[in-house]
mmCIF file of all heavy atoms in Angstrom:
data_model
loop_
_atom_site.group_PDB
_atom_site.id
_atom_site.type_symbol
_atom_site.label_atom_id
_atom_site.label_comp_id
_atom_site.label_asym_id
_atom_site.label_seq_id
_atom_site.Cartn_x
_atom_site.Cartn_y
_atom_site.Cartn_z
ATOM 1 N N LEU A 1 -15.452 -5.512 0.293
ATOM 2 C CA LEU A 1 -14.825 -5.077 1.613
ATOM 3 C C LEU A 1 -13.948 -3.893 1.245
ATOM 4 O O LEU A 1 -13.544 -3.659 0.089
ATOM 5 C CB LEU A 1 -13.922 -6.228 2.172
ATOM 6 C CG LEU A 1 -14.460 -7.430 2.820
ATOM 7 C CD1 LEU A 1 -13.441 -8.374 3.206
ATOM 8 C CD2 LEU A 1 -15.257 -6.984 4.010
ATOM 9 N N ARG A 2 -13.891 -3.032 2.319
ATOM 10 C CA ARG A 2 -13.080 -1.906 2.177
ATOM 11 C C ARG A 2 -12.051 -1.910 3.273
ATOM 12 O O ARG A 2 -12.413 -1.937 4.566
ATOM 13 C CB ARG A 2 -13.915 -0.621 2.200
ATOM 14 C CG ARG A 2 -13.162 0.633 1.926
ATOM 15 C CD ARG A 2 -13.990 1.907 2.203
ATOM 16 N NE ARG A 2 -13.404 3.090 1.689
ATOM 17 C CZ ARG A 2 -13.666 4.347 2.133
ATOM 18 N NH1 ARG A 2 -14.257 4.342 3.296
ATOM 19 N NH2 ARG A 2 -13.098 5.360 1.554
ATOM 20 N N LEU A 3 -10.811 -1.818 3.024
ATOM 21 C CA LEU A 3 -9.706 -1.717 3.892
ATOM 22 C C LEU A 3 -9.249 -0.228 4.093
ATOM 23 O O LEU A 3 -9.293 0.460 3.181
ATOM 24 C CB LEU A 3 -8.513 -2.457 3.513
ATOM 25 C CG LEU A 3 -8.731 -3.986 3.251
ATOM 26 C CD1 LEU A 3 -7.379 -4.612 2.866
ATOM 27 C CD2 LEU A 3 -9.267 -4.660 4.491
ATOM 28 N N SER A 4 -8.921 0.172 5.281
ATOM 29 C CA SER A 4 -8.347 1.519 5.604
ATOM 30 C C SER A 4 -7.074 1.391 6.293
ATOM 31 O O SER A 4 -6.839 0.440 7.069
ATOM 32 C CB SER A 4 -9.407 2.286 6.378
ATOM 33 O OG SER A 4 -10.692 2.404 5.819
ATOM 34 N N CYS A 5 -6.183 2.406 6.106
ATOM 35 C CA CYS A 5 -4.955 2.390 6.821
ATOM 36 C C CYS A 5 -4.537 3.864 7.022
ATOM 37 O O CYS A 5 -4.546 4.714 6.170
ATOM 38 C CB CYS A 5 -4.018 1.742 5.933
ATOM 39 S SG CYS A 5 -2.260 1.898 6.580
ATOM 40 N N ALA A 6 -4.493 4.245 8.420
ATOM 41 C CA ALA A 6 -3.998 5.591 8.730
ATOM 42 C C ALA A 6 -2.502 5.645 9.261
ATOM 43 O O ALA A 6 -2.029 4.818 9.938
ATOM 44 C CB ALA A 6 -4.912 6.051 9.831
ATOM 45 N N ALA A 7 -1.779 6.449 8.596
ATOM 46 C CA ALA A 7 -0.398 6.594 8.815
ATOM 47 C C ALA A 7 -0.169 7.842 9.913
ATOM 48 O O ALA A 7 -0.886 8.753 9.814
ATOM 49 C CB ALA A 7 0.437 6.954 7.692
ATOM 50 N N SER A 8 0.801 7.638 10.866
ATOM 51 C CA SER A 8 1.072 8.656 11.828
ATOM 52 C C SER A 8 2.568 8.645 12.019
ATOM 53 O O SER A 8 3.221 7.650 11.635
ATOM 54 C CB SER A 8 0.373 8.501 13.127
ATOM 55 O OG SER A 8 0.550 7.273 13.724
ATOM 56 N N GLY A 9 3.050 9.671 12.704
ATOM 57 C CA GLY A 9 4.488 9.710 12.900
ATOM 58 C C GLY A 9 5.144 10.621 11.992
ATOM 59 O O GLY A 9 4.654 11.671 11.632
ATOM 60 N N ASN A 10 6.338 10.258 11.486
ATOM 61 C CA ASN A 10 7.096 11.212 10.625
ATOM 62 C C ASN A 10 6.634 11.024 9.175
ATOM 63 O O ASN A 10 7.199 10.220 8.434
ATOM 64 C CB ASN A 10 8.593 10.900 10.653
ATOM 65 C CG ASN A 10 9.439 12.047 10.162
ATOM 66 O OD1 ASN A 10 8.963 12.698 9.272
ATOM 67 N ND2 ASN A 10 10.689 12.065 10.465
ATOM 68 N N ILE A 11 5.604 11.774 8.848
ATOM 69 C CA ILE A 11 4.955 11.503 7.526
ATOM 70 C C ILE A 11 5.857 11.944 6.402
ATOM 71 O O ILE A 11 5.563 11.780 5.231
ATOM 72 C CB ILE A 11 3.562 12.145 7.498
ATOM 73 C CG1 ILE A 11 3.783 13.731 7.727
ATOM 74 C CG2 ILE A 11 2.645 11.690 8.486
ATOM 75 C CD1 ILE A 11 2.473 14.527 7.422
ATOM 76 N N PHE A 12 6.924 12.724 6.694
ATOM 77 C CA PHE A 12 7.767 13.178 5.601
ATOM 78 C C PHE A 12 8.730 12.036 5.082
ATOM 79 O O PHE A 12 9.532 12.225 4.279
ATOM 80 C CB PHE A 12 8.698 14.361 6.060
ATOM 81 C CG PHE A 12 7.808 15.552 6.504
ATOM 82 C CD1 PHE A 12 7.547 15.830 7.769
ATOM 83 C CD2 PHE A 12 7.140 16.306 5.470
ATOM 84 C CE1 PHE A 12 6.727 16.886 8.177
ATOM 85 C CE2 PHE A 12 6.407 17.389 5.821
ATOM 86 C CZ PHE A 12 6.151 17.708 7.197
ATOM 87 N N LEU A 13 8.689 10.778 5.774
ATOM 88 C CA LEU A 13 9.481 9.771 5.464
ATOM 89 C C LEU A 13 8.875 8.883 4.316
ATOM 90 O O LEU A 13 9.613 7.962 3.789
ATOM 91 C CB LEU A 13 9.767 8.756 6.638
ATOM 92 C CG LEU A 13 10.653 9.431 7.671
ATOM 93 C CD1 LEU A 13 10.771 8.455 8.946
ATOM 94 C CD2 LEU A 13 12.014 9.783 7.100
ATOM 95 N N PHE A 14 7.765 9.205 3.818
ATOM 96 C CA PHE A 14 7.186 8.463 2.671
ATOM 97 C C PHE A 14 6.374 9.251 1.753
ATOM 98 O O PHE A 14 5.877 10.446 2.164
ATOM 99 C CB PHE A 14 6.312 7.355 3.206
ATOM 100 C CG PHE A 14 5.095 7.750 4.034
ATOM 101 C CD1 PHE A 14 3.914 7.870 3.272
ATOM 102 C CD2 PHE A 14 5.128 8.109 5.391
ATOM 103 C CE1 PHE A 14 2.658 8.351 3.997
ATOM 104 C CE2 PHE A 14 3.956 8.493 6.027
ATOM 105 C CZ PHE A 14 2.721 8.537 5.348
ATOM 106 N N ASN A 15 6.307 8.867 0.562
ATOM 107 C CA ASN A 15 5.486 9.398 -0.535
ATOM 108 C C ASN A 15 4.357 8.461 -0.875
ATOM 109 O O ASN A 15 3.216 8.760 -1.157
ATOM 110 C CB ASN A 15 6.346 9.862 -1.671
ATOM 111 C CG ASN A 15 5.580 10.373 -2.848
ATOM 112 O OD1 ASN A 15 4.499 10.979 -2.745
ATOM 113 N ND2 ASN A 15 6.085 10.129 -4.097
ATOM 114 N N ALA A 16 4.822 7.188 -1.099
ATOM 115 C CA ALA A 16 3.836 6.169 -1.664
ATOM 116 C C ALA A 16 3.317 5.426 -0.570
ATOM 117 O O ALA A 16 4.010 5.129 0.462
ATOM 118 C CB ALA A 16 4.643 5.192 -2.613
ATOM 119 N N MET A 17 2.053 5.051 -0.737
ATOM 120 C CA MET A 17 1.395 4.108 0.207
ATOM 121 C C MET A 17 0.702 2.983 -0.693
ATOM 122 O O MET A 17 0.586 3.108 -1.878
ATOM 123 C CB MET A 17 0.336 4.821 0.968
ATOM 124 C CG MET A 17 0.843 5.891 1.929
ATOM 125 S SD MET A 17 -0.419 6.615 2.958
ATOM 126 C CE MET A 17 -0.596 5.312 4.137
ATOM 127 N N GLY A 18 0.581 1.854 -0.036
ATOM 128 C CA GLY A 18 -0.024 0.750 -0.824
ATOM 129 C C GLY A 18 -0.485 -0.364 0.027
ATOM 130 O O GLY A 18 -0.508 -0.274 1.305
ATOM 131 N N TRP A 19 -0.892 -1.406 -0.648
ATOM 132 C CA TRP A 19 -1.349 -2.664 0.021
ATOM 133 C C TRP A 19 -0.694 -3.807 -0.654
ATOM 134 O O TRP A 19 -0.567 -3.894 -1.808
ATOM 135 C CB TRP A 19 -2.828 -2.833 -0.205
ATOM 136 C CG TRP A 19 -3.664 -1.828 0.598
ATOM 137 C CD1 TRP A 19 -4.073 -0.566 0.089
ATOM 138 C CD2 TRP A 19 -4.201 -1.754 1.936
ATOM 139 N NE1 TRP A 19 -4.762 0.113 0.963
ATOM 140 C CE2 TRP A 19 -4.779 -0.651 2.166
ATOM 141 C CE3 TRP A 19 -4.015 -2.752 2.913
ATOM 142 C CZ2 TRP A 19 -5.337 -0.308 3.379
ATOM 143 C CZ3 TRP A 19 -4.554 -2.529 4.141
ATOM 144 C CH2 TRP A 19 -5.279 -1.280 4.304
ATOM 145 N N TYR A 20 -0.107 -4.725 0.289
ATOM 146 C CA TYR A 20 0.397 -5.953 -0.278
ATOM 147 C C TYR A 20 -0.410 -7.148 0.441
ATOM 148 O O TYR A 20 -1.184 -6.812 1.383
ATOM 149 C CB TYR A 20 1.884 -6.178 0.321
ATOM 150 C CG TYR A 20 2.894 -5.345 -0.519
ATOM 151 C CD1 TYR A 20 2.845 -3.886 -0.486
ATOM 152 C CD2 TYR A 20 3.777 -5.974 -1.330
ATOM 153 C CE1 TYR A 20 3.808 -3.228 -1.155
ATOM 154 C CE2 TYR A 20 4.659 -5.252 -2.151
ATOM 155 C CZ TYR A 20 4.701 -3.814 -2.041
ATOM 156 O OH TYR A 20 5.557 -3.106 -2.840
ATOM 157 N N ARG A 21 -0.350 -8.302 -0.164
ATOM 158 C CA ARG A 21 -1.035 -9.364 0.441
ATOM 159 C C ARG A 21 -0.180 -10.649 0.442
ATOM 160 O O ARG A 21 0.709 -10.809 -0.456
ATOM 161 C CB ARG A 21 -2.433 -9.682 -0.177
ATOM 162 C CG ARG A 21 -2.342 -10.165 -1.625
ATOM 163 C CD ARG A 21 -3.823 -10.306 -2.245
ATOM 164 N NE ARG A 21 -3.720 -10.764 -3.670
ATOM 165 C CZ ARG A 21 -4.823 -10.877 -4.486
ATOM 166 N NH1 ARG A 21 -5.945 -10.418 -3.925
ATOM 167 N NH2 ARG A 21 -4.673 -11.293 -5.641
ATOM 168 N N GLN A 22 -0.421 -11.567 1.446
ATOM 169 C CA GLN A 22 0.223 -12.851 1.445
ATOM 170 C C GLN A 22 -0.712 -13.998 1.806
ATOM 171 O O GLN A 22 -1.277 -13.987 2.845
ATOM 172 C CB GLN A 22 1.372 -12.732 2.505
ATOM 173 C CG GLN A 22 2.307 -13.983 2.433
ATOM 174 C CD GLN A 22 3.514 -13.705 3.315
ATOM 175 O OE1 GLN A 22 3.683 -12.906 4.116
ATOM 176 N NE2 GLN A 22 4.594 -14.594 2.992
ATOM 177 N N ALA A 23 -0.782 -14.927 1.003
ATOM 178 C CA ALA A 23 -1.643 -16.058 1.127
ATOM 179 C C ALA A 23 -0.840 -17.164 1.684
ATOM 180 O O ALA A 23 0.393 -17.143 1.488
ATOM 181 C CB ALA A 23 -2.274 -16.541 -0.115
ATOM 182 N N PRO A 24 -1.363 -18.083 2.476
ATOM 183 C CA PRO A 24 -0.563 -19.246 2.963
ATOM 184 C C PRO A 24 0.263 -19.931 1.923
ATOM 185 O O PRO A 24 -0.251 -20.264 0.872
ATOM 186 C CB PRO A 24 -1.657 -20.083 3.547
ATOM 187 C CG PRO A 24 -2.806 -19.290 3.827
ATOM 188 C CD PRO A 24 -2.811 -18.271 2.814
ATOM 189 N N GLY A 25 1.610 -20.048 2.273
ATOM 190 C CA GLY A 25 2.471 -20.831 1.302
ATOM 191 C C GLY A 25 2.820 -19.941 0.135
ATOM 192 O O GLY A 25 3.629 -20.502 -0.759
ATOM 193 N N LYS A 26 2.565 -18.651 0.033
ATOM 194 C CA LYS A 26 2.885 -17.860 -1.159
ATOM 195 C C LYS A 26 3.682 -16.595 -0.581
ATOM 196 O O LYS A 26 3.665 -16.230 0.557
ATOM 197 C CB LYS A 26 1.670 -17.451 -1.735
ATOM 198 C CG LYS A 26 0.902 -18.534 -2.456
ATOM 199 C CD LYS A 26 -0.154 -18.037 -3.363
ATOM 200 C CE LYS A 26 -0.865 -19.123 -4.147
ATOM 201 N NZ LYS A 26 -1.913 -18.648 -5.051
ATOM 202 N N GLN A 27 4.368 -16.017 -1.461
ATOM 203 C CA GLN A 27 5.239 -14.862 -1.138
ATOM 204 C C GLN A 27 4.238 -13.567 -1.141
ATOM 205 O O GLN A 27 3.151 -13.602 -1.714
ATOM 206 C CB GLN A 27 6.302 -14.557 -2.233
ATOM 207 C CG GLN A 27 7.368 -15.610 -2.147
ATOM 208 C CD GLN A 27 8.633 -15.006 -3.077
ATOM 209 O OE1 GLN A 27 8.299 -14.556 -4.132
ATOM 210 N NE2 GLN A 27 9.822 -15.291 -2.629
ATOM 211 N N ARG A 28 4.643 -12.624 -0.203
ATOM 212 C CA ARG A 28 3.997 -11.355 -0.359
ATOM 213 C C ARG A 28 4.060 -10.655 -1.560
ATOM 214 O O ARG A 28 5.214 -10.593 -2.111
ATOM 215 C CB ARG A 28 4.501 -10.535 0.971
ATOM 216 C CG ARG A 28 3.656 -9.253 1.215
ATOM 217 C CD ARG A 28 4.262 -8.567 2.317
ATOM 218 N NE ARG A 28 4.310 -9.255 3.629
ATOM 219 C CZ ARG A 28 4.623 -8.762 4.817
ATOM 220 N NH1 ARG A 28 4.847 -7.517 4.969
ATOM 221 N NH2 ARG A 28 4.561 -9.567 5.871
ATOM 222 N N GLY A 29 3.032 -10.080 -2.064
ATOM 223 C CA GLY A 29 3.121 -9.405 -3.305
ATOM 224 C C GLY A 29 2.203 -8.123 -3.338
ATOM 225 O O GLY A 29 1.308 -8.062 -2.537
ATOM 226 N N LEU A 30 2.514 -7.218 -4.225
ATOM 227 C CA LEU A 30 1.881 -5.944 -4.272
ATOM 228 C C LEU A 30 0.421 -6.106 -4.770
ATOM 229 O O LEU A 30 0.224 -6.828 -5.822
ATOM 230 C CB LEU A 30 2.587 -4.978 -5.237
ATOM 231 C CG LEU A 30 1.977 -3.667 -5.476
ATOM 232 C CD1 LEU A 30 1.948 -2.824 -4.296
ATOM 233 C CD2 LEU A 30 2.578 -3.015 -6.725
ATOM 234 N N VAL A 31 -0.505 -5.562 -4.150
ATOM 235 C CA VAL A 31 -1.896 -5.541 -4.610
ATOM 236 C C VAL A 31 -2.116 -4.115 -5.365
ATOM 237 O O VAL A 31 -2.619 -4.158 -6.537
ATOM 238 C CB VAL A 31 -2.870 -5.580 -3.489
ATOM 239 C CG1 VAL A 31 -4.294 -5.519 -4.016
ATOM 240 C CG2 VAL A 31 -2.716 -6.938 -2.693
ATOM 241 N N ALA A 32 -1.770 -2.974 -4.685
ATOM 242 C CA ALA A 32 -1.991 -1.738 -5.285
ATOM 243 C C ALA A 32 -1.181 -0.718 -4.574
ATOM 244 O O ALA A 32 -0.873 -0.805 -3.371
ATOM 245 C CB ALA A 32 -3.389 -1.287 -5.246
ATOM 246 N N SER A 33 -0.754 0.397 -5.349
ATOM 247 C CA SER A 33 0.010 1.429 -4.539
ATOM 248 C C SER A 33 -0.459 2.774 -5.198
ATOM 249 O O SER A 33 -1.135 2.772 -6.212
ATOM 250 C CB SER A 33 1.546 1.155 -4.895
ATOM 251 O OG SER A 33 1.799 1.426 -6.230
ATOM 252 N N ILE A 34 -0.297 3.822 -4.369
ATOM 253 C CA ILE A 34 -0.655 5.153 -4.823
ATOM 254 C C ILE A 34 0.385 6.189 -4.223
ATOM 255 O O ILE A 34 0.793 6.090 -3.067
ATOM 256 C CB ILE A 34 -2.027 5.486 -4.399
ATOM 257 C CG1 ILE A 34 -2.543 6.767 -4.897
ATOM 258 C CG2 ILE A 34 -2.202 5.475 -2.848
ATOM 259 C CD1 ILE A 34 -4.075 7.058 -4.747
ATOM 260 N N THR A 35 0.749 7.219 -5.095
ATOM 261 C CA THR A 35 1.708 8.185 -4.668
ATOM 262 C C THR A 35 0.905 9.308 -4.165
ATOM 263 O O THR A 35 -0.299 9.396 -4.299
ATOM 264 C CB THR A 35 2.555 8.620 -5.790
ATOM 265 O OG1 THR A 35 1.794 9.293 -6.779
ATOM 266 C CG2 THR A 35 3.289 7.482 -6.484
ATOM 267 N N GLN A 36 1.529 10.438 -3.523
ATOM 268 C CA GLN A 36 0.897 11.582 -3.095
ATOM 269 C C GLN A 36 0.213 12.191 -4.305
ATOM 270 O O GLN A 36 -0.800 12.948 -4.166
ATOM 271 C CB GLN A 36 1.851 12.462 -2.385
ATOM 272 C CG GLN A 36 2.126 12.207 -0.934
ATOM 273 C CD GLN A 36 2.919 13.210 -0.259
ATOM 274 O OE1 GLN A 36 3.668 13.951 -0.885
ATOM 275 N NE2 GLN A 36 2.800 13.269 1.050
ATOM 276 N N GLY A 37 0.786 12.176 -5.415
ATOM 277 C CA GLY A 37 0.256 12.815 -6.629
ATOM 278 C C GLY A 37 -0.861 12.089 -7.228
ATOM 279 O O GLY A 37 -1.504 12.525 -8.146
ATOM 280 N N GLY A 38 -1.264 10.857 -6.683
ATOM 281 C CA GLY A 38 -2.285 10.140 -7.202
ATOM 282 C C GLY A 38 -1.953 9.064 -8.257
ATOM 283 O O GLY A 38 -2.983 8.391 -8.751
ATOM 284 N N THR A 39 -0.773 8.811 -8.475
ATOM 285 C CA THR A 39 -0.379 7.781 -9.524
ATOM 286 C C THR A 39 -0.558 6.444 -8.947
ATOM 287 O O THR A 39 -0.132 6.260 -7.844
ATOM 288 C CB THR A 39 1.055 7.919 -9.917
ATOM 289 O OG1 THR A 39 1.274 9.158 -10.603
ATOM 290 C CG2 THR A 39 1.433 6.873 -10.893
ATOM 291 N N THR A 40 -1.323 5.570 -9.643
ATOM 292 C CA THR A 40 -1.719 4.308 -9.003
ATOM 293 C C THR A 40 -1.048 3.163 -9.848
ATOM 294 O O THR A 40 -0.640 3.300 -11.009
ATOM 295 C CB THR A 40 -3.162 4.013 -9.064
ATOM 296 O OG1 THR A 40 -3.754 4.159 -10.371
ATOM 297 C CG2 THR A 40 -3.865 5.103 -8.071
ATOM 298 N N GLU A 41 -0.880 2.035 -9.190
ATOM 299 C CA GLU A 41 -0.398 0.667 -9.792
ATOM 300 C C GLU A 41 -1.207 -0.327 -9.204
ATOM 301 O O GLU A 41 -1.459 -0.400 -8.077
ATOM 302 C CB GLU A 41 1.135 0.577 -9.512
ATOM 303 C CG GLU A 41 1.781 -0.634 -10.144
ATOM 304 C CD GLU A 41 3.227 -0.666 -9.716
ATOM 305 O OE1 GLU A 41 3.731 0.143 -9.041
ATOM 306 O OE2 GLU A 41 3.748 -1.841 -10.116
ATOM 307 N N TYR A 42 -1.534 -1.316 -9.990
ATOM 308 C CA TYR A 42 -2.343 -2.485 -9.515
ATOM 309 C C TYR A 42 -1.758 -3.726 -10.064
ATOM 310 O O TYR A 42 -1.132 -3.829 -11.151
ATOM 311 C CB TYR A 42 -3.757 -2.425 -10.151
ATOM 312 C CG TYR A 42 -4.570 -1.283 -9.593
ATOM 313 C CD1 TYR A 42 -4.654 0.021 -10.207
ATOM 314 C CD2 TYR A 42 -5.312 -1.466 -8.467
ATOM 315 C CE1 TYR A 42 -5.503 1.007 -9.699
ATOM 316 C CE2 TYR A 42 -6.075 -0.506 -7.903
ATOM 317 C CZ TYR A 42 -6.171 0.747 -8.551
ATOM 318 O OH TYR A 42 -7.008 1.843 -8.039
ATOM 319 N N ALA A 43 -1.850 -4.810 -9.278
ATOM 320 C CA ALA A 43 -1.546 -6.163 -9.787
ATOM 321 C C ALA A 43 -2.526 -6.525 -10.876
ATOM 322 O O ALA A 43 -3.646 -6.147 -10.717
ATOM 323 C CB ALA A 43 -1.685 -7.089 -8.599
#
């Protein structure tokens, strides 16, 4: 599957974007993140 997310509004308020997930009965946790410069982080 491929997820997409488009940001609008005051785009100067953020540098990093990412995805979190939450399964039933579990805490929300980071899946992956990426900065404007392309630095990534993965669970």
